[in-house]
Coordinates of all heavy atoms in Angstrom, one line a residue:
M6 N -34.0 41.5 25.3 CA -35.2 42.4 25.5 C -34.9 43.8 25.1 O -35.8 44.4 24.5 CB -35.6 42.3 27.0 CG -36.8 43.1 27.3 SD -37.5 42.7 28.9 CE -36.2 42.8 30.1
H7 N -33.8 44.3 25.4 CA -33.5 45.7 25.1 C -33.5 45.9 23.5 O -33.9 46.9 23.0 CB -32.1 46.1 25.6 CG -32.1 46.2 27.1 ND1 -32.0 47.4 27.7 CD2 -32.0 45.3 28.1 CE1 -32.0 47.2 29.0 NE2 -32.0 45.9 29.3
E8 N -32.9 44.9 22.8 CA -32.9 45.1 21.4 C -34.3 45.1 20.8 O -34.7 45.9 19.9 CB -32.1 43.9 20.7 CG -31.9 44.0 19.3 CD -31.0 42.9 18.7 OE1 -30.2 42.4 19.5 OE2 -31.1 42.7 17.5
I9 N -35.1 44.2 21.2 CA -36.5 44.1 20.7 C -37.3 45.4 21.1 O -38.0 45.9 20.2 CB -37.2 42.8 21.3 CG1 -36.6 41.6 20.6 CG2 -38.7 42.9 21.0 CD1 -37.0 40.3 21.2
F10 N -37.1 45.8 22.3 CA -37.7 47.0 22.7 C -37.4 48.2 21.8 O -38.2 49.0 21.3 CB -37.4 47.4 24.2 CG -38.0 48.8 24.6 CD1 -39.3 49.0 24.8 CD2 -37.1 49.8 24.6 CE1 -39.8 50.3 25.1 CE2 -37.5 51.1 25.0 CZ -38.8 51.3 25.2
A11 N -36.0 48.3 21.6 CA -35.5 49.5 20.8 C -36.1 49.3 19.4 O -36.5 50.4 18.8 CB -34.0 49.3 20.7
E12 N -36.1 48.2 18.7 CA -36.8 48.0 17.4 C -38.2 48.4 17.4 O -38.7 49.0 16.4 CB -36.5 46.5 17.0 CG -35.1 46.2 16.6 CD -34.9 44.7 16.4 OE1 -35.9 44.0 16.3 OE2 -33.7 44.3 16.2
R13 N -38.9 47.8 18.3 CA -40.4 48.1 18.3 C -40.8 49.5 18.6 O -41.7 50.1 18.0 CB -41.1 47.1 19.3 CG -41.0 45.7 18.8 CD -42.0 44.8 19.3 NE -41.8 43.4 18.6 CZ -42.2 42.3 19.1 NH1 -42.8 42.3 20.2 NH2 -42.1 41.2 18.4
L14 N -39.9 50.2 19.5 CA -40.2 51.5 19.8 C -40.1 52.3 18.5 O -40.9 53.2 18.1 CB -39.3 52.0 20.9 CG -39.5 53.5 21.3 CD1 -40.9 53.8 21.8 CD2 -38.5 54.0 22.2
K15 N -39.0 52.2 17.8 CA -38.7 52.9 16.6 C -39.8 52.6 15.6 O -40.1 53.5 14.9 CB -37.3 52.6 16.2 CG -36.9 53.5 14.9 CD -35.4 53.3 14.6 CE -35.0 54.2 13.5 NZ -33.6 54.1 13.1
E16 N -40.1 51.3 15.5 CA -41.1 51.0 14.5 C -42.4 51.6 14.7 O -43.0 52.2 13.8 CB -41.3 49.4 14.5 CG -42.4 48.9 13.6 CD -42.5 47.4 13.8 OE1 -41.6 46.6 13.5 OE2 -43.7 47.0 14.3
L17 N -42.9 51.6 15.9 CA -44.2 52.2 16.3 C -44.1 53.8 16.2 O -45.0 54.3 15.6 CB -44.5 52.0 17.8 CG -44.9 50.5 18.1 CD1 -44.9 50.3 19.7 CD2 -46.3 50.2 17.6
R18 N -43.0 54.3 16.5 CA -42.9 55.8 16.4 C -42.9 56.3 15.0 O -43.5 57.1 14.5 CB -41.5 56.2 17.0 CG -41.2 57.7 17.0 CD -39.9 58.1 17.7 NE -38.7 57.5 17.1 CZ -38.1 57.9 15.9 NH1 -38.8 58.8 15.1 NH2 -37.0 57.2 15.5
T19 N -42.1 55.5 14.1 CA -42.0 55.9 12.6 C -43.3 55.6 11.9 O -43.7 56.3 11.0 CB -40.8 55.2 11.9 OG1 -40.9 53.8 12.1 CG2 -39.5 55.7 12.5
K20 N -44.1 54.5 12.4 CA -45.3 54.2 11.7 C -46.3 55.4 12.0 O -47.2 55.6 11.2 CB -45.9 52.9 12.4 CG -47.1 52.4 11.8 CD -47.5 51.1 12.5 CE -48.8 50.5 12.0 NZ -49.2 49.3 12.6
E21 N -46.1 56.1 13.1 CA -47.0 57.2 13.4 C -46.5 58.5 12.8 O -47.0 59.6 13.2 CB -47.2 57.3 15.0 CG -47.8 56.2 15.6 CD -49.4 56.1 15.3 OE1 -50.0 57.2 15.2 OE2 -49.8 55.0 15.1
S22 N -45.3 58.4 12.1 CA -44.6 59.6 11.5 C -44.3 60.6 12.6 O -44.4 61.7 12.4 CB -45.5 60.3 10.4 OG -45.9 59.3 9.4
L23 N -43.8 60.0 13.7 CA -43.5 60.8 14.9 C -41.9 60.8 15.0 O -41.2 59.8 15.0 CB -44.0 60.1 16.1 CG -44.2 60.9 17.4 CD1 -45.0 62.1 17.2 CD2 -44.9 59.9 18.5
S24 N -41.4 62.0 15.2 CA -40.0 62.1 15.5 C -39.6 61.8 16.9 O -40.5 61.6 17.8 CB -39.5 63.6 15.3 OG -40.1 64.4 16.2
Q25 N -38.3 61.5 17.2 CA -37.9 61.3 18.5 C -38.3 62.5 19.4 O -38.9 62.3 20.5 CB -36.4 61.1 18.6 CG -36.0 59.8 18.1 CD -34.5 59.6 18.3 OE1 -33.8 60.4 18.6 NE2 -34.1 58.3 18.1
K26 N -38.2 63.7 18.9 CA -38.6 64.8 19.7 C -40.1 64.9 20.0 O -40.5 65.2 21.1 CB -38.2 66.1 18.9 CG -38.6 67.4 19.7 CD -38.1 68.7 18.9 CE -38.5 69.9 19.6 NZ -38.2 71.1 18.8
G27 N -40.9 64.5 19.0 CA -42.3 64.6 19.2 C -42.7 63.5 20.2 O -43.6 63.8 21.0
L28 N -42.2 62.3 20.2 CA -42.5 61.3 21.2 C -42.0 61.7 22.5 O -42.7 61.7 23.5 CB -41.8 60.0 20.9 CG -42.1 58.9 21.8 CD1 -43.6 58.7 22.0 CD2 -41.3 57.6 21.5
A29 N -40.9 62.3 22.6 CA -40.3 62.9 23.9 C -41.4 63.9 24.5 O -41.6 63.8 25.7 CB -38.9 63.4 23.7
E30 N -41.7 64.8 23.7 CA -42.7 65.8 24.1 C -43.9 65.2 24.6 O -44.6 65.6 25.7 CB -43.0 66.8 23.0 CG -41.8 67.7 22.7 CD -42.0 68.6 21.5 OE1 -43.0 68.5 20.8 OE2 -41.1 69.5 21.3
A31 N -44.5 64.2 23.9 CA -45.7 63.6 24.3 C -45.6 62.9 25.6 O -46.6 62.8 26.4 CB -46.2 62.6 23.2
L32 N -44.4 62.3 25.9 CA -44.1 61.6 27.1 C -43.6 62.5 28.2 O -43.3 62.0 29.4 CB -43.2 60.4 26.8 CG -43.7 59.3 26.0 CD1 -42.6 58.3 25.6 CD2 -44.9 58.6 26.4
K33 N -43.3 63.8 27.9 CA -42.8 64.8 28.8 C -41.4 64.2 29.3 O -41.1 64.3 30.6 CB -43.7 65.1 29.9 CG -45.0 65.7 29.4 CD -46.0 65.9 30.6 CE -47.2 66.6 30.2 NZ -47.9 66.4 29.0
I34 N -40.6 63.9 28.4 CA -39.3 63.5 28.8 C -38.2 64.1 27.8 O -38.6 64.7 26.8 CB -39.0 61.9 28.7 CG1 -39.4 61.4 27.3 CG2 -39.8 61.3 29.8 CD1 -39.1 59.9 27.1
P35 N -36.9 64.2 28.1 CA -35.9 64.7 27.1 C -35.8 63.8 25.8 O -36.0 62.6 25.9 CB -34.6 64.6 27.9 CG -35.0 64.5 29.3 CD -36.3 63.8 29.4
K36 N -35.6 64.4 24.7 CA -35.5 63.8 23.4 C -34.3 62.8 23.5 O -34.4 61.7 23.0 CB -35.1 64.8 22.3 CG -34.9 64.1 20.9 CD -34.2 65.1 20.0 CE -33.7 64.3 18.8 NZ -32.4 63.6 19.1
Q37 N -33.3 63.2 24.3 CA -32.1 62.2 24.4 C -32.5 60.9 25.0 O -31.9 59.8 24.7 CB -31.0 63.0 25.2 CG -29.6 62.1 25.2 CD -29.1 62.0 23.8 OE1 -29.2 62.9 23.1 NE2 -28.6 60.8 23.5
T38 N -33.5 60.9 25.8 CA -34.0 59.6 26.5 C -34.5 58.7 25.4 O -34.2 57.5 25.4 CB -35.0 59.9 27.5 OG1 -34.4 60.8 28.5 CG2 -35.5 58.7 28.2
V39 N -35.3 59.2 24.4 CA -35.8 58.4 23.4 C -34.7 57.8 22.6 O -34.7 56.7 22.2 CB -36.8 59.2 22.5 CG1 -37.4 58.3 21.4 CG2 -38.1 59.6 23.5
N40 N -33.8 58.8 22.3 CA -32.6 58.4 21.4 C -31.8 57.2 22.1 O -31.5 56.2 21.5 CB -31.7 59.6 21.2 CG -30.6 59.3 20.3 OD1 -29.4 58.9 20.8 ND2 -30.7 59.5 19.0
N41 N -31.6 57.3 23.4 CA -30.9 56.3 24.2 C -31.7 55.0 24.1 O -31.0 53.9 24.1 CB -30.7 56.8 25.6 CG -29.6 57.9 25.7 OD1 -28.7 58.0 24.8 ND2 -29.5 58.6 26.8
W42 N -33.0 55.0 24.3 CA -33.7 53.8 24.2 C -33.6 53.1 22.9 O -33.3 51.9 22.8 CB -35.2 54.0 24.4 CG -35.6 54.5 25.8 CD1 -35.0 54.3 27.0 CD2 -36.7 55.2 26.2 NE1 -35.6 54.9 28.0 CE2 -36.8 55.4 27.5 CE3 -37.9 55.7 25.4 CZ2 -37.8 56.1 28.2 CZ3 -38.8 56.3 26.1 CH2 -38.8 56.5 27.5
E43 N -33.7 53.9 21.8 CA -33.5 53.3 20.5 C -32.2 52.8 20.1 O -32.0 52.0 19.2 CB -34.0 54.3 19.4 CG -35.6 54.5 19.5 CD -36.2 55.4 18.4 OE1 -35.4 55.8 17.5 OE2 -37.3 55.7 18.5
K44 N -31.1 53.4 20.8 CA -29.7 52.9 20.6 C -29.4 51.9 21.6 O -28.2 51.6 21.7 CB -28.9 54.1 20.6 CG -29.1 55.0 19.3 CD -28.0 56.1 19.3 CE -28.2 56.8 18.0 NZ -27.1 57.6 17.6
M45 N -30.3 51.4 22.4 CA -30.1 50.4 23.5 C -29.0 50.8 24.6 O -28.3 50.0 25.1 CB -29.7 49.1 22.8 CG -30.7 48.4 22.0 SD -30.2 46.9 21.3 CE -29.0 47.4 20.0
K46 N -29.0 52.1 24.8 CA -28.1 52.6 25.8 C -28.8 52.7 27.2 O -28.0 52.9 28.2 CB -27.5 54.1 25.4 CG -26.6 54.1 24.2 CD -26.2 55.5 24.0 CE -25.3 55.5 22.8 NZ -24.8 57.0 22.5
N47 N -30.1 52.7 27.1 CA -30.8 52.7 28.3 C -32.1 52.0 28.1 O -32.5 51.7 27.0 CB -31.1 54.2 28.7 CG -31.4 54.5 30.1 OD1 -31.7 53.5 30.9 ND2 -31.3 55.7 30.6
F48 N -32.9 51.7 29.3 CA -34.2 51.0 29.2 C -35.0 51.6 30.1 O -34.7 51.9 31.3 CB -33.9 49.5 29.5 CG -35.2 48.7 29.2 CD1 -35.4 48.2 27.9 CD2 -36.0 48.3 30.3 CE1 -36.4 47.4 27.8 CE2 -37.1 47.5 30.1 CZ -37.2 47.1 28.7
P49 N -36.3 51.9 29.7 CA -37.3 52.6 30.6 C -37.7 51.7 31.7 O -37.8 50.5 31.7 CB -38.4 52.9 29.7 CG -38.4 51.9 28.6 CD -37.0 51.6 28.4
G50 N -38.0 52.4 32.8 CA -38.7 51.6 33.9 C -40.1 51.2 33.7 O -40.7 51.6 32.7
L51 N -40.7 50.5 34.6 CA -42.0 50.1 34.5 C -43.1 51.1 34.3 O -43.9 51.0 33.4 CB -42.4 49.2 35.7 CG -43.8 48.5 35.6 CD1 -43.9 47.7 34.4 CD2 -44.1 47.7 36.9
E52 N -43.0 52.2 35.1 CA -43.9 53.3 34.9 C -43.8 53.9 33.5 O -44.9 54.2 32.8 CB -43.7 54.4 35.9 CG -44.7 55.5 35.9 CD -44.4 56.5 37.0 OE1 -43.8 56.3 38.0 OE2 -44.9 57.7 36.8
M53 N -42.6 54.1 32.9 CA -42.5 54.6 31.6 C -43.0 53.6 30.5 O -43.6 54.0 29.5 CB -41.1 55.1 31.3 CG -40.9 55.8 30.0 SD -42.0 57.2 29.8 CE -41.5 58.4 31.0
L54 N -42.6 52.3 30.8 CA -43.2 51.3 29.8 C -44.7 51.3 29.7 O -45.2 51.2 28.6 CB -42.7 50.0 30.3 CG -41.3 49.5 29.9 CD1 -41.1 48.1 30.6 CD2 -41.2 49.3 28.4
C55 N -45.3 51.6 30.8 CA -46.8 51.7 30.8 C -47.2 52.9 30.0 O -48.2 52.9 29.2 CB -47.3 51.8 32.2 SG -47.2 50.3 33.2
K56 N -46.5 54.0 30.2 CA -46.9 55.3 29.4 C -46.7 55.0 27.9 O -47.5 55.5 27.1 CB -46.0 56.4 29.9 CG -46.4 57.0 31.2 CD -45.6 58.2 31.6 CE -45.9 58.7 33.0 NZ -45.2 59.9 33.4
I57 N -45.6 54.4 27.6 CA -45.3 54.1 26.2 C -46.4 53.2 25.5 O -47.0 53.4 24.5 CB -43.9 53.5 26.0 CG1 -42.9 54.5 26.3 CG2 -43.7 53.1 24.5 CD1 -41.4 53.9 26.5
A58 N -46.7 52.1 26.4 CA -47.8 51.2 25.8 C -49.0 51.9 25.7 O -49.8 51.7 24.7 CB -47.8 50.0 26.8
N59 N -49.4 52.7 26.6 CA -50.7 53.4 26.5 C -50.7 54.4 25.3 O -51.7 54.5 24.6 CB -50.9 54.2 27.9 CG -51.4 53.3 28.9 OD1 -51.9 52.3 28.7 ND2 -51.2 53.8 30.2
Y60 N -49.5 55.1 25.1 CA -49.4 56.1 24.0 C -49.7 55.4 22.8 O -50.4 55.9 21.9 CB -48.1 56.7 24.1 CG -48.0 57.7 23.1 CD1 -48.6 59.1 23.3 CD2 -47.4 57.5 21.9 CE1 -48.4 60.1 22.2 CE2 -47.4 58.5 20.9 CZ -47.9 59.8 21.1 OH -47.8 60.7 20.0
F61 N -49.1 54.2 22.5 CA -49.2 53.6 21.2 C -50.3 52.5 21.2 O -50.5 51.8 20.1 CB -47.8 52.9 20.9 CG -46.7 53.9 20.5 CD1 -45.6 54.0 21.3 CD2 -46.8 54.6 19.3 CE1 -44.6 54.9 20.9 CE2 -45.8 55.5 19.0 CZ -44.7 55.6 19.8
D62 N -51.0 52.4 22.3 CA -52.1 51.4 22.5 C -51.7 50.0 22.1 O -52.2 49.3 21.3 CB -53.3 51.9 21.6 CG -54.5 51.1 22.0 OD1 -54.7 50.7 23.1 OD2 -55.5 50.9 21.0
V63 N -50.6 49.6 22.7 CA -50.1 48.3 22.6 C -49.8 47.7 24.0 O -49.8 48.4 25.0 CB -48.7 48.1 21.8 CG1 -49.0 48.7 20.4 CG2 -47.6 48.9 22.4
S64 N -49.5 46.4 24.1 CA -49.2 45.8 25.3 C -47.7 46.0 25.7 O -46.9 46.0 24.8 CB -49.6 44.3 25.4 OG -48.7 43.6 24.5
I65 N -47.4 46.0 27.0 CA -46.0 45.9 27.4 C -45.4 44.6 26.9 O -44.3 44.7 26.5 CB -46.0 46.0 28.9 CG1 -46.5 47.4 29.4 CG2 -44.5 45.8 29.4 CD1 -46.5 47.6 30.9
D66 N -46.1 43.6 27.0 CA -45.5 42.3 26.4 C -45.1 42.5 25.0 O -43.9 41.9 24.7 CB -46.6 41.1 26.5 CG -46.8 40.6 27.9 OD1 -45.9 40.9 28.8 OD2 -47.7 39.9 28.2
Y67 N -45.8 43.2 24.2 CA -45.4 43.4 22.8 C -44.1 44.3 22.7 O -43.2 44.0 22.1 CB -46.5 44.1 22.1 CG -46.0 44.4 20.6 CD1 -45.9 43.5 19.7 CD2 -45.8 45.8 20.3 CE1 -45.5 43.8 18.3 CE2 -45.3 46.1 19.0 CZ -45.2 45.1 18.0 OH -44.7 45.4 16.9
L68 N -44.0 45.3 23.6 CA -42.9 46.2 23.6 C -41.6 45.4 24.0 O -40.6 45.8 23.5 CB -43.2 47.4 24.6 CG -44.0 48.5 24.2 CD1 -44.2 49.4 25.3 CD2 -43.5 49.2 22.9
V69 N -41.7 44.6 24.9 CA -40.5 43.8 25.4 C -40.3 42.6 24.7 O -39.3 41.8 25.0 CB -40.4 43.7 26.9 CG1 -40.5 45.1 27.5 CG2 -41.6 42.9 27.4
G70 N -41.0 42.2 23.8 CA -40.8 40.9 22.9 C -41.3 39.7 23.4 O -41.0 38.6 23.0
Q71 N -42.3 39.7 24.5 CA -42.9 38.5 24.9 C -44.0 38.0 24.1 O -44.4 36.9 24.3 CB -43.5 38.9 26.3 CG -42.4 39.1 27.4 CD -41.4 38.0 27.6 OE1 -41.8 36.9 27.8 NE2 -40.1 38.3 27.3
T72 N -44.5 38.8 23.1 CA -45.5 38.4 22.1 C -45.3 39.1 20.8 O -44.8 40.3 20.9 CB -47.0 38.6 22.7 OG1 -47.8 38.2 21.7 CG2 -47.2 40.0 22.9
K73 N -45.8 38.5 19.8 CA -45.6 39.3 18.5 C -46.9 40.0 18.2 O -47.0 40.8 17.2 CB -45.4 38.2 17.3 CG -44.1 37.6 17.4 CD -43.8 36.7 16.3 CE -42.5 36.0 16.4 NZ -42.1 35.2 15.3
N74 N -47.9 39.7 19.1 CA -49.3 40.5 18.9 C -49.3 41.7 19.7 O -49.2 41.8 20.9 CB -50.4 39.5 19.4 CG -51.8 40.1 19.2 OD1 -52.0 41.2 18.7 ND2 -52.7 39.4 19.7
P75 N -49.4 42.9 18.9 CA -49.4 44.2 19.6 C -50.7 44.5 20.4 O -50.7 45.4 21.2 CB -49.2 45.2 18.6 CG -49.6 44.5 17.3 CD -49.5 43.1 17.5
K76 N -51.8 43.7 20.1 CA -53.0 44.0 20.8 C -53.0 43.8 22.3 O -52.3 42.9 22.7 CB -54.1 43.1 20.2 CG -54.3 43.2 18.7 CD -55.1 44.5 18.3 CE -55.3 44.5 16.8 NZ -55.4 45.8 16.3
R77 N -53.7 44.6 23.0 CA -53.9 44.5 24.4 C -55.0 43.5 24.7 O -56.0 43.5 24.0 CB -54.2 45.8 25.0 CG -53.2 46.8 25.0 CD -53.6 47.9 25.8 NE -53.0 49.2 25.5 CZ -53.0 50.2 26.3 NH1 -53.4 50.1 27.5 NH2 -52.3 51.3 25.9
N78 N -54.8 42.8 25.8 CA -56.0 42.0 26.2 C -56.8 42.8 27.1 O -56.4 43.2 28.2 CB -55.5 40.7 27.0 CG -54.8 39.7 26.1 OD1 -55.2 39.7 24.9 ND2 -53.9 39.0 26.6
R79 N -58.1 43.1 26.7 CA -58.9 44.0 27.6 C -60.0 43.3 28.1 O -60.6 42.3 27.6 CB -59.3 45.2 26.7 CG -58.2 46.0 26.4 CD -58.7 47.2 25.6 NE -57.5 47.9 25.2 CZ -57.5 49.2 24.8 NH1 -58.5 49.9 24.9 NH2 -56.4 49.7 24.4

């Protein structure tokens, strides 16, 4: 799960032409936290997963590899 999350986070971030620093600022967290997620040194908690999913308009299931479909069920 950590590996898939790291890959998808980086993919979503780069697709938006967003630096780690830019994402960190948007989420109001240190840049090093984003770096640690992408290097699989750490994993966000549920509240932060929700913030990331909302920011990129994807489902949490997509972020953690439970589905290949990034769309949310609304």
Side-chain angles (χ1 to χ4, degrees):
M6 178 166 47
H7 291 256
E8 184 177 339
I9 292 172
F10 170 76
E12 290 172 6
R13 293 201 170 158
L14 179 64
K15 186 172 184 176
E16 176 186 299
L17 289 165
R18 182 179 60 73
T19 55
K20 188 177 177 181
E21 297 289 324
S22 301
L23 196 59
S24 66
Q25 288 183 347
K26 182 180 178 185
L28 179 58
E30 288 173 355
L32 298 174
K33 297 179 177 32
I34 57 172
K36 177 198 167 281
Q37 188 61 41
T38 301
V39 176
N40 184 272
N41 286 341
W42 292 337
E43 290 186 3
K44 291 189 176 194
M45 294 181 290
K46 293 182 179 179
N47 204 343
F48 190 79
L51 183 57
E52 185 176 336
M53 186 54 67
L54 275 174
C55 290
K56 287 182 182 181
I57 296 166
N59 287 336
Y60 182 82
F61 288 112
D62 196 27
V63 297
S64 70
I65 292 174
D66 284 344
Y67 176 75
L68 285 175
V69 299
Q71 295 298 307
T72 182
K73 292 181 181 182
N74 181 4
K76 302 281 186 210
R77 296 186 200 202
N78 293 330
R79 295 182 186 200

